[in-house]
Amino acid sequence: MNETKPTSIRGSSRERILEAARALFHRQGFEATSFSDIAREAGIPRGNFYYHFKTKDEILRAVIARWRTRLEEALGQIERATPQPLERIHRMLAYPLEESETNVRYGCPLGSLVYELRKAEHPPQVWQEAVGLFDVLADWLAARLRELGWSAGPARLLALRALARLQGAILLASAYGDQGLLAAEVADLYDWIRHQRPQENAP
Amino acid sequence: MNETKPTSIRGSSRERILEAARALFHRQGFEATSFSDIAREAGIPRGNFYYHFKTKDEILRAVIARWRTRLEEALGQIERATPQPLERIHRMLAYPLEESETNVRYGCPLGSLVYELRKAEHPPQVWQEAVGLFDVLADWLAARLRELGWSAGPARLLALRALARLQGAILLASAYGDQGLLAAEVADLYDWIRHQRPQENAP
DNA sequence: GTCTATAGATTGATAGAC
DNA sequence: GTCTATCAATCTATAGAC
């Protein structure tokens, strides 16, 4: 994680490997993506990137960390774009629509990855890091709900419920290859959140 | 470990192969499951079942057909159990809870399979057959809604929306390994459907 | 129909020259 | 740091004896 040599530019090789792996894990899945695939996509000889990553799991963990950075940057950008909690939530929910075609074709890159990792036998640490990506989104959503007056418990509950609806919408839209379905579900999801009231969810 | 004796009634090699493949595709995924895995689980020598199935895709399609039969039988049983549309819907939504532990551990066998097949490069016919499993559920749900007075269009829409919520609930519960989360989401999902009104969804 | 042996390709990973 | 050559293991699939 820590780059001990600040002088070296983010190695173009390492960077290209990571970006290639991230895209391929999304399009093909983790198991189905071979080193050869990554090497071809990154334009780098096969054996070379064992210098950067010792195992395939190491690449996976780096890709997960990359997704975390991506998410946090996107959420930060939303916060800078508008101060209104509801508008922030709306933009977050509409985020999968920005790459609608890819997401409908290959599913949510986070959801499909987590689903795959739960099956394979990786060190628990690996898929927990992947699940941590959901927490980034859930925590952020819950924080916006608290800005709207929700207390912590119900906010967390509704955030998870919204995340589940979003994941389900992407999965079904992906299954049917229907971008319109995803857009409609995102719109309905936002409408649904807007009409929720805290007391309805309090224990 | 669960050392099951191959002395069960399902003596047919083909039947044992199919059941082993169905379970392994759920637990490990399609790509990650090798012929060796299936052979071991079915208690049958590797090379033998090329007599029954010529390719791995052929096994996959047979497993999908098996799921379709399973679903239709389960739905038929629900219909025989109760004539009330709402109670039928409730039982259908609670169906994933019957194997809660397995579904939370490995995800929905249909949803995770469809997600995986969308990535791999199979003949279009294959993943469309898999997506057809969703149609079995969506059509059945829509029929129950029509029994409640909904017209065809809105019924289909709400059925797909409910299916999306169910899939999302299983995916998130699987990610967090939380059976309670799945149970809570199923309960809320049923409550949510019960309070929907057709006119709210009409165009 | 059942099973063994094995082909032919690809996998993740290593060693070492430059 | 970059790249070539290659390992041992495993993959899907085939051929053919019983």
Side-chain angles (χ1 to χ4, degrees):
Chain A
M1 302 296 287
N2 314 21
E3 191 69 88
T4 53
K5 295 209 169 183
T7 56
S8 68
I9 305 172
R10 294 290 283 181
S12 66
S13 284
R14 185 191 157 92
E15 198 62 20
R16 270 154 64 198
I17 289 170
L18 269 187
E19 178 53 24
R22 184 202 59 77
L24 284 169
F25 290 172
H26 186 195
R27 299 208 304 266
Q28 306 185 348
F30 173 73
E31 293 272 357
T33 297
S34 69
F35 280 116
S36 301
D37 294 331
I38 303 176
R40 193 183 315 118
E41 177 107 350
I44 285 174
R46 273 236 306 283
N48 183 25
F49 52 71
Y50 280 93
Y51 170 77
H52 299 283
F53 304 96
K54 293 188 189 70
T55 68
K56 203 181 174 189
D57 263 11
E58 209 166 296
I59 300 185
L60 172 59
R61 296 181 64 182
V63 165
I64 292 172
R66 193 183 179 81
W67 274 117
R68 178 177 280 266
T69 304
R70 272 201 168 198
L71 290 182
E72 287 166 348
E73 281 177 0
L75 295 175
Q77 193 163 2
I78 290 175
E79 290 182 43
R80 286 189 299 276
T82 173
Q84 302 172 355
L86 267 179
E87 176 61 16
R88 286 175 167 178
I89 290 175
H90 184 248
R91 292 193 186 210
M92 181 275 195
L93 296 175
Y95 184 61
L97 296 176
E98 289 184 17
E99 302 210 22
S100 172
E101 186 172 349
T102 304
N103 289 331
V104 164
R105 177 66 185 79
Y106 300 107
C108 171
L110 313 184
S112 58
L113 180 64
V114 167
Y115 238 176
E116 186 181 357
L117 294 185
R118 286 248 56 188
K119 294 177 188 293
E121 291 165 6
H122 295 93
Q125 198 178 6
V126 176
W127 74 260
Q128 279 174 357
E129 286 172 0
V131 173
L133 298 176
F134 280 152
D135 276 323
V136 172
L137 298 172
D139 291 346
W140 187 90
L141 259 182
R144 302 293 81 74
L145 290 170
R146 286 200 300 276
E147 288 175 0
L148 287 171
W150 290 62
S151 54
R156 170 77 182 174
L157 209 79
L158 181 57
L160 280 177
R161 189 158 289 161
L163 208 55
R165 283 201 62 175
L166 192 54
Q167 285 296 318
I170 301 176
L171 194 153
L172 233 69
S174 174
Y176 286 103
D178 187 338
Q179 295 190 48
L181 178 59
L182 178 57
E185 287 304 295
V186 165
D188 183 81
L189 172 52
Y190 173 64
D191 215 55
W192 170 78
I193 288 185
R194 218 159 37 98
H195 288 87
Q196 296 290 315
R197 289 297 172 267
Q199 52 273 26
E200 297 174 14
N201 295 275
Chain B
M1 306 300 285
N2 39 3
E3 188 77 281
T4 49
K5 299 253 179 171
T7 60
S8 58
I9 312 169
R10 329 190 78 76
S12 156
S13 286
R14 185 192 158 92
E15 196 64 19
R16 271 157 62 198
I17 289 170
L18 270 187
E19 178 53 25
R22 185 202 59 77
L24 284 169
F25 290 172
H26 186 196
R27 298 210 303 267
Q28 306 185 347
F30 174 73
E31 295 272 356
T33 298
S34 70
F35 280 116
S36 301
D37 294 332
I38 303 176
R40 192 183 316 119
E41 178 106 350
I44 285 175
R46 272 234 307 285
N48 182 24
F49 52 71
Y50 279 93
Y51 169 77
H52 300 284
F53 305 96
K54 293 190 189 68
T55 68
K56 203 181 174 188
D57 263 10
E58 209 166 296
I59 300 185
L60 172 60
R61 296 180 64 182
V63 165
I64 293 172
R66 193 184 179 80
W67 274 117
R68 177 177 280 265
T69 303
R70 270 201 169 199
L71 289 182
E72 287 166 347
E73 280 177 0
L75 295 175
Q77 193 162 1
I78 290 176
E79 290 181 44
R80 286 190 298 276
T82 172
Q84 303 172 354
L86 268 178
E87 176 61 16
R88 285 174 168 178
I89 290 175
H90 184 250
R91 292 193 186 209
M92 182 275 195
L93 296 175
Y95 184 61
L97 297 176
E98 289 184 16
E99 302 210 23
S100 174
E101 186 172 350
T102 305
N103 289 330
V104 165
R105 177 65 186 81
Y106 300 107
C108 171
L110 313 183
S112 58
L113 180 64
V114 167
Y115 238 175
E116 186 181 358
L117 294 184
R118 286 247 57 186
K119 293 177 188 293
E121 291 166 5
H122 295 94
Q125 198 179 3
V126 177
W127 74 261
Q128 279 173 358
E129 286 172 0
V131 174
L133 297 177
F134 280 152
D135 276 323
V136 170
L137 297 172
D139 291 346
W140 187 90
L141 258 182
R144 302 292 82 74
L145 290 170
R146 284 200 301 277
E147 289 176 359
L148 288 171
W150 291 61
S151 54
R156 169 79 182 174
L157 210 78
L158 181 57
L160 280 177
R161 189 158 289 160
L163 208 54
R165 282 201 62 176
L166 193 54
Q167 284 296 319
I170 300 176
L171 195 152
L172 233 69
S174 174
Y176 286 103
D178 187 339
Q179 295 190 49
L181 178 60
L182 178 57
E185 288 304 296
V186 166
D188 184 81
L189 173 51
Y190 173 65
D191 215 54
W192 170 78
I193 289 186
R194 219 156 38 97
H195 289 89
Q196 296 291 314
R197 290 296 171 269
Q199 55 272 23
E200 297 173 15
N201 295 275

